[in-house]
Structure formats: structure tokens, C-alpha cells
Amino acid sequence: MSEAIVSLRNVVKHYARGKQDVPVLDGLNLDIAKGEFVALMGPSGSGKTTLLNLIGGLDTPTSGEITVAGQRLDRLGSGQLARWRAHNVGFVFQFYNLMPMLNAQRNVELPLLLTKLSSAKRAANAAAALTLVGVADRAKHKPNELSGGQAQRVAIARALVADPTILVCDEPTGDLDRKSADEILHLLQLLNRDHGKTIVIVTHDPKAAEFGSRHLHMDKGALLETGTLAA
Amino acid sequence: MKYLPLLWATLWRKKARTIFTLLSIVVAFLLYGVLGTVDYAFENPSAGVTGADKLITTNKFSITLQLPFSFTQQIRSVPGVAVVTWITWFGAYYQESKNFVFALPIDTDTYFDLHKSDGFVVSDAQMTAFRNTRTGVLVNSALMKKFGWKVGDKLPLHSTIWTQKSDGSLNWTFDIVGTFDVKDPTQASQQSSTALFHYELFDEGRSFGKGEVGWFEERVDDPSQSAAIAAKIDALFANSPNETRTQPAKDFAIAFIKQIGDVGFVLRAILAAVFFTLLFLTGNTMMQSVRERIPELAVLKTLGFTDGHVLALVIGESLLLCLIAAIVGLGLSFAMIPIVHQALQGVDLSHGEQLSGLAVAVLLALVVGLPPAIRAMRLNVVDALMDKR
């Protein structure tokens, strides 16, 4: 296995629900190599999204070590995590989560507002990202003028535009028909194979999981490796 | 600056709500501009330079109380006083009480001498006719036009105060012998509803108050000595049954209007009520807007926007909303100043007062923007994304 870009050691995550302490992850260990396409499956409530949040730096563990792209995330504060996310992670959500009042181009430019790029450079990078995902012709359209597949492509362009180390996708095809879902999965596969992006997706769909080079199954906060495909 | 397109787009996310909120803030700042300017005029009556050489002497205790005509000589004897004239409030209207006419009984020579710097324009023939006609009246050309009067017409005026000695009637009839205009723009608006007639006719014709005048007007040689001369005039009548109060003409105009109450207080109370209501209205709108956008704000945080960024974005949105509306509202009030100026009979108004409105807009934006901004800043990104993944 090549260099691990994601490394989790003895990660414990508990949530407080009122006075109740709810354990979600209990002493989890995981390594993901650079360039892997990991498909994470499991029943609802098994801890998939919690794991994804921890890898993406959206949440912090109750205890344990999380290292992503050489950075110990469990030692970072909220502001440091936000800055780290801006440079290292691209997020893709089930319901796209595009800003409804901005057109596709402006949506993709959003992460670049946090950089020192000029307005022209931001626009050029956003246009390049939209071209890469195949929706350059929809750049001036707002999310409500896009199909589900197109909206998800725009969301992927937004996740890619700042050239992150890792793409974190939570049910990226969960709101799409089979055809659109396959197109999105092929696109993610392309980004993984041709552009070397490390991708972690959470999915309930076995067909979607087949696109991953490595399959992980989660149940009750524990990980079970179910297979690795040759790249 | 790079966040402006994002702020602008966010502001127009719900167009109808934004337009109605903007309109309510525009109206509030329009009121702020107009009422604030009027309030300034009442609080700073001597701010202008026009009329700085004119003083007015009234009864110390009320301008409705009369003064003896015999004071004329004593006032005239005060060093620095160039001209003294006397006037009494006639309180007239034409046909109906809504047709107010600022009819003044005047002493022809001293009145026109005192006001010569105002640029009264009366033809020589009409001035001669006025001097020679006991019942003659000179009417401002704007008033003539308003009621369609012509030179030669009989002018019946109803006084609300003065009954005639001959028949106890409140109706007085004059002969229009000429018209006048005033070159000084401030005086022109003040005089636009004025009709001037002979003091002798008034004093001899009235059934009471003979030998008394409403107030004296003085012109001084040196405007820089106005305050000292005013003090000397008042000193003449100190401890007499008719003590006086001498003040600049503009102060008198303000005092005249203030008879109806503390205008400044009323204006400030209206403004306070408007802004108090606005605070809740805009605050509620901002809070609702942020509440609706919680998933979107969470996405921004996911993309790497820090808590500080999100706080600044929401406050920026509030600032944009309030400043745009304030600029439009204050701009409209600026455009209305000439109308207000005319309505206030030429009282000086300060344009600079409106600039303070921008500071109020910033304050308003901070007050209404801060609570939702803090809420957005404290947003837990995982919780906020839960229902929108």
C-alpha cells in the first residue's frame, strides 16, 4: 500500500443527546492510501457519516488520532479546521447543497473567495472546473434551472475547484436516477484515475460501491473490510 | 469587495421581502432626513446669515401680548438702531378659514425702509397709489395669482381677532392698489401670502387695543452688535409693566411656530417611534432570513469559511440593506428640502444634518444584524447539515 493520506488510530466518537451519551465509533482504526477510491457502506446509524465528518474535518473525535494529508485534525480548533478544509477537502452531498441564488459559475467560485486569486483568475478556474465535469454550457444557470445530474456535477466542480487533496462524498447519487447516478460515478472514477484524487464515498447503493477500488462496511461503529480491487 | 456579489445575491434571495423591507427603511430615512432637518432648523434658528441685521422686540412673556406704541421712540434712541417699525398680528383669512392671508398693518415709510435690503419690488405708480389710498392694500403677486385677484378689486378679509369700532364686525374691506414681489429668496417665500395695509387705518378702525402694537422690528447698523443692541433695548423696559424680549428675526419666526408646542420634541418622538418599529421589523426580517439559510451557511462553513467569515457576511448583508435604503431615503429627503424650506416660510435648513443619517444606518445595521450574525457564527456545521444532506 502506498503512503496513507488518511490515518485514524483508536478513534472514539460519542454524541451527547440530552443527558444520554451515545457511542458512535469505538476505537476505530483506518488507513486510506493516496489515490484510493474508497466506498463505505453500511446500515443507517452505523457511523458512516460520522466517520466521513471526521475525515473531512467537519467534526472532532472524542478521543483518538486523526491524520489527514499530514495534519493531525484532532489537535485543531474550529477556525484552524475551517482553514484546513478550505485547502484540503472537497465535499459532495446527496442534495448538492448549491446556493440557490447563485448561478453555477458563482457557486463553483465560492471556495476560491477564500484564496488571494484575482476575480479573473477565480472565474477562469471555475470555468475550467465546470468544463472538467462537463457542464460548462450551464455556467450561467441557477441550481433550479439544472437537472439533478447537472446540479451534482456543479457540486463536484465546486468540490474540485480549489484542488483539494481528498474528495469526501456523502451519498452523491442518492437523489439521482440510475442513468445520472452512473454518469456521476463515472465522473468520480475519472477524477480518481486520471487526476489522482483520493475519494471516499458513503453509499447505500451496491452498484455505486462497485466503482470504488476498496470497499469498507460499517456496522455499529466498527469497520469491516470487504474487498480491494486492483487499480 | 470580492464578497459583494455573494452579499448582493443573498440580499435578493427573497425579492418581495427585500423590497418591502427596503421600502420601510427608505421611508424611515426619508422621515429622518426631512424631520431631522426641520428639527435642526428649530434648534438652530440663527444658523443662517439672512436677516442677521434685523431684530424683533416682543412682550417678554408672550408674543400674543401687546406693547405700547410709545416704545417706538425709546427703541429708536438706542445707539446702533437704524430703523424701527411696528406691526400687529391681524389674523386674516379670505372667505374661508382655510384661505389664510398674512395680512399685516404696517407703517409704510419705516416698513419699506427696514426691509429695503430684502428687495421689495413695487412700481412707483402703485406705491404712490398705496400711499394715497387710506384703504389701500399691496398684495404679494403670488397671493394675487392664487386667488385670481386683480388691481382695483375690493378685498374683503375676515380678522379672527380685531373687531371694527364702527359696527363690531370682524370683516374688513380693502382696495387692492398694487402688487409686490421680493427678490431675497428667503423673504420671498416668507412673503408669499402677505398683504400689507396701513397701520393708521387699522389702529383707528379697531374697537380695542388702540395705541398698542404686536411687535417692533429693528434694523441695526452693525449686525455684529445685534446681541448688545437687543440687550440694551430690553434693558430700557426692564421692571416695567411691559417687559420686552428682543431677538434675531429668525429666532422670532421659530418662536412663532413653537407656540403650538415643542416642535422639536414632537419631531424627535416621531422619529424615535419610527426607528423603534423599524428595529423590530428589520431585526425580524434578518433573523428570519438567517434561519431560512442555516443549511446554506453550514455549506459555507464546510467549504472553509470560518466562524468570523460567516459573522462578517451576515453583518455585511445587514449593512448593505440598511445603507442602500438609507441612501435612497436621505436622497429623497434631500430633494424635498426646497419644499420643506417653502413650507417653513424660509427658515434656514441644514443639508449636513442628513449625513448623520448614514451613521444611524450603520448603527441600525449593526443592531439588527448582530444577533442573527452571532447565531450564524455559532452554528454547528454537522448539526446544521443533518437535515440537508
Side-chain angles (χ1 to χ4, degrees):
Chain A
M1 186 184 241
S2 62
E3 170 197 357
I5 199 163
V6 177
S7 173
L8 282 79
R9 293 288 173 270
N10 301 314
V11 170
V12 174
K13 181 65 184 178
H14 291 193
Y15 284 117
R17 289 279 177 262
K19 288 180 180 176
Q20 202 180 359
D21 188 49
V22 182
V24 182
L25 303 178
D26 191 14
L28 191 137
N29 292 294
L30 173 67
D31 285 310
I32 296 174
K34 189 172 181 183
E36 273 195 306
F37 188 155
V38 177
L40 189 58
M41 297 186 72
S44 295
S46 60
K48 304 184 299 294
T49 297
T50 300
L51 177 58
L52 209 63
N53 287 343
L54 292 171
I55 293 172
L58 288 178
D59 208 351
T60 50
T62 307
S63 66
E65 295 177 10
I66 300 177
T67 307
V68 181
Q71 178 68 54
R72 278 285 294 272
L73 301 190
D74 52 287
R75 290 177 176 168
L76 299 182
S78 152
Q80 292 169 310
L81 270 176
R83 279 184 283 276
W84 178 84
R85 284 197 301 271
H87 292 107
N88 293 283
V89 194
F91 289 89
V92 180
F93 303 100
Q94 179 178 357
F95 298 111
Y96 334 124
N97 283 5
L98 298 173
M99 298 287 163
M101 66 287 184
L102 298 178
N103 64 28
Q105 168 93 16
R106 292 279 190 202
N107 262 291
V108 176
E109 279 185 44
L110 273 177
L112 301 179
L113 291 177
L114 300 168
T115 67
K116 289 181 179 173
L117 294 176
S118 67
S119 169
K121 186 71 178 154
R122 289 199 302 271
N125 287 8
L130 286 169
T131 303
L132 179 66
V133 301
V135 283
D137 58 326
R138 311 297 287 170
K140 298 298 172 196
H141 291 257
K142 290 191 174 170
N144 62 359
E145 297 161 349
L146 301 173
S147 68
Q150 288 170 335
Q152 194 61 298
R153 283 171 184 267
V154 172
I156 292 171
R158 184 180 65 185
L160 283 174
V161 74
D163 194 24
T165 316
I166 183 167
L167 275 186
V168 170
C169 313
D170 194 359
E171 298 271 9
T173 58
D175 195 44
L176 300 176
D177 59 56
R178 187 71 263 162
K179 183 171 175 288
S180 300
D182 285 347
E183 285 173 2
I184 292 299
L185 290 164
H186 277 113
L187 175 61
L188 291 175
Q189 200 169 48
L190 177 97
L191 293 170
N192 172 246
R193 283 187 182 166
D194 297 356
H195 297 269
K197 294 292 171 198
T198 306
I199 299 177
V200 182
I201 74 165
V202 161
T203 182
H204 281 104
D205 178 8
K207 276 204 76 175
E210 285 173 14
F211 282 80
S213 57
R214 184 178 170 196
H215 301 158
L216 297 174
H217 191 88
M218 279 199 83
D219 194 16
K220 296 175 183 170
L223 265 177
L224 178 69
E225 189 111 20
T226 58
T228 305
L229 298 177
Chain B
M1 216 47 191
K2 64 182 174 182
Y3 294 103
L4 197 58
L6 175 62
L7 290 175
W8 185 253
T10 307
L11 192 63
W12 294 102
R13 193 172 173 276
K14 299 262 183 182
K15 284 192 181 69
R17 185 172 64 196
T18 301
I19 287 170
F20 284 124
T21 309
L22 271 172
L23 282 177
S24 61
I25 305 175
V26 164
V27 170
F29 277 94
L30 172 62
L31 280 173
Y32 179 92
V34 172
L35 298 186
T37 307
V38 174
D39 183 33
Y40 174 87
F42 278 91
E43 294 304 313
N44 303 276
S46 300
V49 292
T50 310
D53 63 339
K54 294 192 188 74
L55 296 173
I56 290 188
T57 301
T58 60
N59 189 293
K60 181 179 179 180
F61 302 105
S62 170
I63 58 175
T64 61
L65 296 175
Q66 304 285 294
L67 292 170
F69 172 72
S70 59
F71 282 10
T72 313
Q73 289 304 327
Q74 289 169 271
I75 295 172
R76 198 175 278 154
S77 68
V78 173
V81 173
V83 188
V84 181
T85 193
W86 52 92
I87 294 167
T88 295
W89 177 249
F90 188 66
Y93 64 78
Y94 172 66
Q95 292 182 339
E96 293 178 71
S97 57
K98 65 176 183 180
N99 298 329
F100 169 74
V101 175
F102 196 63
L104 292 176
I106 59 162
D107 174 65
T108 310
D109 290 335
T110 55
Y111 184 85
F112 283 106
D113 186 9
L114 190 139
H115 286 281
K116 66 184 176 188
S117 62
D118 299 336
F120 270 79
V121 180
V122 189
S123 73
D124 291 342
Q126 290 184 341
M127 181 57 89
T128 303
F130 180 61
R131 288 181 189 282
N132 294 337
T133 310
R134 186 177 152 76
T135 55
V137 61
L138 285 174
V139 182
N140 186 281
S141 55
L143 192 62
M144 292 283 282
K145 192 176 173 186
K146 181 179 176 184
F147 291 115
W149 298 333
K150 298 184 297 294
V151 173
D153 285 355
K154 289 280 183 192
L155 175 58
L157 290 179
H158 183 91
S159 172
T160 53
I161 304 166
W162 303 105
T163 49
Q164 294 212 58
K165 183 173 64 180
S166 56
D167 59 2
S169 164
L170 288 162
N171 298 319
W172 298 63
T173 303
F174 304 95
D175 294 293
I176 300 176
V177 293
T179 66
F180 70 90
D181 286 296
V182 183
K183 286 179 182 169
D184 180 283
T186 304
Q187 284 295 318
S189 59
Q190 275 186 340
Q191 300 281 359
S192 62
S193 54
T194 299
L196 305 170
F197 62 97
H198 294 292
Y199 205 94
E200 293 88 339
L201 173 79
F202 166 68
D203 199 41
E204 289 168 17
R206 61 181 166 173
S207 63
F208 62 94
K210 195 177 290 290
E212 293 179 339
V213 301
W215 64 89
F216 295 98
E217 287 186 22
E218 301 92 16
R219 195 181 77 231
V220 298
D221 292 323
D222 180 2
S224 69
Q225 296 300 310
S226 289
I229 293 169
K232 281 180 189 169
I233 292 171
D234 290 341
L236 284 175
F237 312 110
N239 301 316
S240 78
N242 296 292
E243 290 193 67
T244 60
R245 183 180 180 202
T246 304
Q247 57 193 326
K250 218 172 297 294
D251 290 38
F252 172 76
I254 297 294
F256 199 84
I257 298 169
K258 276 187 170 177
Q259 284 181 107
I260 58 172
D262 187 343
V263 178
F265 174 77
V266 173
L267 296 179
R268 285 190 291 274
I270 293 170
L271 280 177
V274 167
F275 276 89
F276 189 70
T277 310
L278 192 66
L279 213 59
F280 286 99
L281 176 82
T282 317
N284 185 50
T285 304
M286 283 300 299
M287 195 61 103
Q288 195 180 345
S289 167
V290 166
R291 203 162 37 231
E292 288 170 0
R293 284 186 289 137
I294 280 177
E296 290 165 30
L297 293 167
V299 169
L300 288 180
K301 288 192 170 190
T302 304
L303 297 177
F305 284 69
T306 61
D307 293 345
H309 275 124
V310 173
L311 177 93
L313 282 174
V314 177
I315 288 182
E317 187 185 328
S318 177
L319 273 171
L320 195 61
L321 177 77
C322 293
L323 280 176
I324 289 173
I327 288 167
V328 174
L330 293 171
L332 288 173
S333 73
F334 190 82
M336 284 180 69
I337 278 189
I339 301 167
V340 178
H341 186 67
Q342 194 161 10
L344 283 177
Q345 303 276 305
V347 168
D348 279 342
L349 303 171
S350 162
H351 295 189
E353 273 301 287
Q354 295 172 315
L355 293 177
S356 66
L358 292 178
V360 173
V362 171
L363 189 67
L364 176 72
L366 291 178
V367 171
V368 301
L370 210 52
I374 290 173
R375 181 180 175 175
M377 182 185 76
R378 289 179 176 165
L379 210 60
N380 181 298
V381 62
V382 174
D383 291 342
L385 282 171
M386 281 295 247
D387 57 321
K388 195 77 196 291
R389 289 196 102 137

